[in-house]
């Protein structure tokens, strides 16, 4: 009501709400939260760096006009290599991490399918309405999963935890996904998906600026590769020039 957005209507719009709620807020978030109990955030960031590549493939199959090209593939691979460079020197991978790693890749697949479904079917739904309804679906899914696993809902016990939850809810969910869904209306899904490789690069820079963490050579190389990969992917091909008209000798 505040922004004048209508609720979704019709079978197609409510189907999209259910798909995005189940996959993005239920599947993606549920799998990521579970996996990060067992693997470190650097490995999670590297695995989620495959998001642009998975989105390219999904968009090629499902979104008209978003064809898979060698340039996009090379740019996505370069950006992924940048994420590996950011965190590759601090990884600790063992056999017990295979399950959580597979869960993160499953989360990436959920997010990629949600991304292209929103791109193709979500133009008529206001971003605020789509955000509100899909997060409600996701909340129901996650509550059901917590009940089935015997966890049950838990509330924070101190002010700092409430502040962290409030920040994640308002900035990380309401504001972030309003922007995300709005961008999908005008940008192609592959372009929007590159937030997955920019996020860890920004986190590394903020760690250096705010916490005084040291920027290693690998961190700088990783950031450079991410920027180069994104630039390569988003670069438009020049249209072929018409041949110059032949001139007759005087």
């Amino acid at each position: 009501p505040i922004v004048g957005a209508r609720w979704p209507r019709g079978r197609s719009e409510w189907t999209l709400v259910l798909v995005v709620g189940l996959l993005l807020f239920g599947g993606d978030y549920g799998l990521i939260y579970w996996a990060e109990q067992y693997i470190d955030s650097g490995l999670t960031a590297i695995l989620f760096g495959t998001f642009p590549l998975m989105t390219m493939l999904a968009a090629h199959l499902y979104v008209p006009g978003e064809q898979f090209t060698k340039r996009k593939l090379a740019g996505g691979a370069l950006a992924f290599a940048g994420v590996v460079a950011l965190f590759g020197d601090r990884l600790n991978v063992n056999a017990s991490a295979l399950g959580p790693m597979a869960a993160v890749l499953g989360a990436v697949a959920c997010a990629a399918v949600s991304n292209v479904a929103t791109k193709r079917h979500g133009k008529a739904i206001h971003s605020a309405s789509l955000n509100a309804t899909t997060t409600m679906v996701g909340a129901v899914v996650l509550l059901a999963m917590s009940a089935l696993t015997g966890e049950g809902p838990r509330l924070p016990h101190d002010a700092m935890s409430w502040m962290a939850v409030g920040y994640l809810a308002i900035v990380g969910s309401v504001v972030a996904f309003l922007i995300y869904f709005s961008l999908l209306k005008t940008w192609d899904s592959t372009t929007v998906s590159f937030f997955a490789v920019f996020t860890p690069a920004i986190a590394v820079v903020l760690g250096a600026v705010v916490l005084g963490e040291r920027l290693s050579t690998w961190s700088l190389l990783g950031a450079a590769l991410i920027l180069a990969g994104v630039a390569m992917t988003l670069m438009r091909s020049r249209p072929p020039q018409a041949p110059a008209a032949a001139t007759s000798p005087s």
Side-chain angles (χ1 to χ4, degrees), residues 196-212:
V197 293
F198 272 124
T199 301
I202 294 172
V204 169
V205 172
L206 287 177
V209 174
V210 178
L211 302 177

mmCIF file of all heavy atoms in Angstrom, residues 196-212:
data_model
loop_
_atom_site.group_PDB
_atom_site.id
_atom_site.type_symbol
_atom_site.label_atom_id
_atom_site.label_comp_id
_atom_site.label_asym_id
_atom_site.label_seq_id
_atom_site.Cartn_x
_atom_site.Cartn_y
_atom_site.Cartn_z
ATOM 1 N N ALA A 196 27.057 -11.717 -7.635
ATOM 2 C CA ALA A 196 27.640 -12.833 -6.893
ATOM 3 C C ALA A 196 29.163 -12.788 -6.882
ATOM 4 O O ALA A 196 29.785 -13.328 -5.963
ATOM 5 C CB ALA A 196 27.165 -14.161 -7.489
ATOM 6 N N VAL A 197 29.776 -12.177 -7.888
ATOM 7 C CA VAL A 197 31.233 -12.060 -7.888
ATOM 8 C C VAL A 197 31.692 -10.707 -7.370
ATOM 9 O O VAL A 197 32.825 -10.568 -6.895
ATOM 10 C CB VAL A 197 31.808 -12.321 -9.302
ATOM 11 C CG1 VAL A 197 31.594 -13.762 -9.703
ATOM 12 C CG2 VAL A 197 31.208 -11.398 -10.337
ATOM 13 N N PHE A 198 30.828 -9.685 -7.442
ATOM 14 C CA PHE A 198 31.187 -8.393 -6.879
ATOM 15 C C PHE A 198 31.118 -8.400 -5.355
ATOM 16 O O PHE A 198 31.916 -7.741 -4.679
ATOM 17 C CB PHE A 198 30.266 -7.285 -7.414
ATOM 18 C CG PHE A 198 30.743 -6.676 -8.699
ATOM 19 C CD1 PHE A 198 29.934 -6.651 -9.825
ATOM 20 C CD2 PHE A 198 32.006 -6.115 -8.789
ATOM 21 C CE1 PHE A 198 30.372 -6.083 -11.014
ATOM 22 C CE2 PHE A 198 32.454 -5.546 -9.968
ATOM 23 C CZ PHE A 198 31.634 -5.532 -11.086
ATOM 24 N N THR A 199 30.172 -9.155 -4.795
ATOM 25 C CA THR A 199 29.979 -9.141 -3.343
ATOM 26 C C THR A 199 31.231 -9.540 -2.573
ATOM 27 O O THR A 199 31.644 -8.825 -1.645
ATOM 28 C CB THR A 199 28.795 -10.048 -2.961
ATOM 29 O OG1 THR A 199 27.617 -9.571 -3.614
ATOM 30 C CG2 THR A 199 28.577 -10.049 -1.460
ATOM 31 N N PRO A 200 31.894 -10.672 -2.888
ATOM 32 C CA PRO A 200 33.105 -10.999 -2.137
ATOM 33 C C PRO A 200 34.237 -10.001 -2.343
ATOM 34 O O PRO A 200 35.017 -9.747 -1.422
ATOM 35 C CB PRO A 200 33.491 -12.385 -2.665
ATOM 36 C CG PRO A 200 32.778 -12.534 -3.952
ATOM 37 C CD PRO A 200 31.524 -11.748 -3.832
ATOM 38 N N ALA A 201 34.337 -9.414 -3.542
ATOM 39 C CA ALA A 201 35.382 -8.412 -3.771
ATOM 40 C C ALA A 201 35.149 -7.186 -2.901
ATOM 41 O O ALA A 201 36.087 -6.640 -2.281
ATOM 42 C CB ALA A 201 35.411 -8.020 -5.254
ATOM 43 N N ILE A 202 33.901 -6.738 -2.805
ATOM 44 C CA ILE A 202 33.576 -5.598 -1.956
ATOM 45 C C ILE A 202 33.827 -5.939 -0.496
ATOM 46 O O ILE A 202 34.323 -5.110 0.286
ATOM 47 C CB ILE A 202 32.110 -5.172 -2.180
ATOM 48 C CG1 ILE A 202 31.940 -4.632 -3.605
ATOM 49 C CG2 ILE A 202 31.678 -4.122 -1.165
ATOM 50 C CD1 ILE A 202 30.502 -4.370 -3.994
ATOM 51 N N ALA A 203 33.508 -7.181 -0.094
ATOM 52 C CA ALA A 203 33.737 -7.592 1.295
ATOM 53 C C ALA A 203 35.217 -7.542 1.648
ATOM 54 O O ALA A 203 35.589 -7.114 2.752
ATOM 55 C CB ALA A 203 33.189 -9.004 1.504
ATOM 56 N N VAL A 204 36.077 -7.976 0.718
ATOM 57 C CA VAL A 204 37.514 -7.937 0.966
ATOM 58 C C VAL A 204 38.003 -6.490 1.128
ATOM 59 O O VAL A 204 38.793 -6.167 2.016
ATOM 60 C CB VAL A 204 38.270 -8.658 -0.165
ATOM 61 C CG1 VAL A 204 39.771 -8.393 -0.071
ATOM 62 C CG2 VAL A 204 37.996 -10.148 -0.127
ATOM 63 N N VAL A 205 37.502 -5.602 0.255
ATOM 64 C CA VAL A 205 37.903 -4.190 0.331
ATOM 65 C C VAL A 205 37.408 -3.562 1.638
ATOM 66 O O VAL A 205 38.155 -2.835 2.317
ATOM 67 C CB VAL A 205 37.356 -3.410 -0.881
ATOM 68 C CG1 VAL A 205 37.596 -1.913 -0.718
ATOM 69 C CG2 VAL A 205 38.012 -3.911 -2.163
ATOM 70 N N LEU A 206 36.164 -3.839 2.020
ATOM 71 C CA LEU A 206 35.635 -3.301 3.280
ATOM 72 C C LEU A 206 36.418 -3.835 4.482
ATOM 73 O O LEU A 206 36.634 -3.112 5.460
ATOM 74 C CB LEU A 206 34.152 -3.654 3.423
ATOM 75 C CG LEU A 206 33.183 -2.884 2.533
ATOM 76 C CD1 LEU A 206 31.761 -3.399 2.722
ATOM 77 C CD2 LEU A 206 33.235 -1.388 2.843
ATOM 78 N N GLY A 207 36.827 -5.100 4.404
ATOM 79 C CA GLY A 207 37.638 -5.654 5.482
ATOM 80 C C GLY A 207 38.949 -4.906 5.638
ATOM 81 O O GLY A 207 39.427 -4.682 6.760
ATOM 82 N N ALA A 208 39.536 -4.487 4.512
ATOM 83 C CA ALA A 208 40.787 -3.731 4.572
ATOM 84 C C ALA A 208 40.564 -2.320 5.094
ATOM 85 O O ALA A 208 41.338 -1.804 5.909
ATOM 86 C CB ALA A 208 41.427 -3.685 3.186
ATOM 87 N N VAL A 209 39.468 -1.679 4.651
ATOM 88 C CA VAL A 209 39.216 -0.286 5.031
ATOM 89 C C VAL A 209 38.704 -0.172 6.466
ATOM 90 O O VAL A 209 39.177 0.655 7.254
ATOM 91 C CB VAL A 209 38.202 0.353 4.047
ATOM 92 C CG1 VAL A 209 37.808 1.754 4.523
ATOM 93 C CG2 VAL A 209 38.793 0.420 2.649
ATOM 94 N N VAL A 210 37.738 -1.017 6.830
ATOM 95 C CA VAL A 210 37.086 -0.894 8.132
ATOM 96 C C VAL A 210 37.826 -1.650 9.229
ATOM 97 O O VAL A 210 38.000 -1.137 10.337
ATOM 98 C CB VAL A 210 35.621 -1.405 8.043
ATOM 99 C CG1 VAL A 210 34.934 -1.326 9.403
ATOM 100 C CG2 VAL A 210 34.846 -0.600 7.004
ATOM 101 N N LEU A 211 38.284 -2.869 8.918
ATOM 102 C CA LEU A 211 38.906 -3.708 9.939
ATOM 103 C C LEU A 211 40.429 -3.711 9.880
ATOM 104 O O LEU A 211 41.075 -4.342 10.717
ATOM 105 C CB LEU A 211 38.395 -5.151 9.807
ATOM 106 C CG LEU A 211 36.876 -5.329 9.926
ATOM 107 C CD1 LEU A 211 36.492 -6.795 9.710
ATOM 108 C CD2 LEU A 211 36.385 -4.850 11.287
ATOM 109 N N GLY A 212 40.987 -3.047 8.881
ATOM 110 C CA GLY A 212 42.443 -2.993 8.783
ATOM 111 C C GLY A 212 43.073 -4.286 8.303
ATOM 112 O O GLY A 212 44.265 -4.523 8.538
#
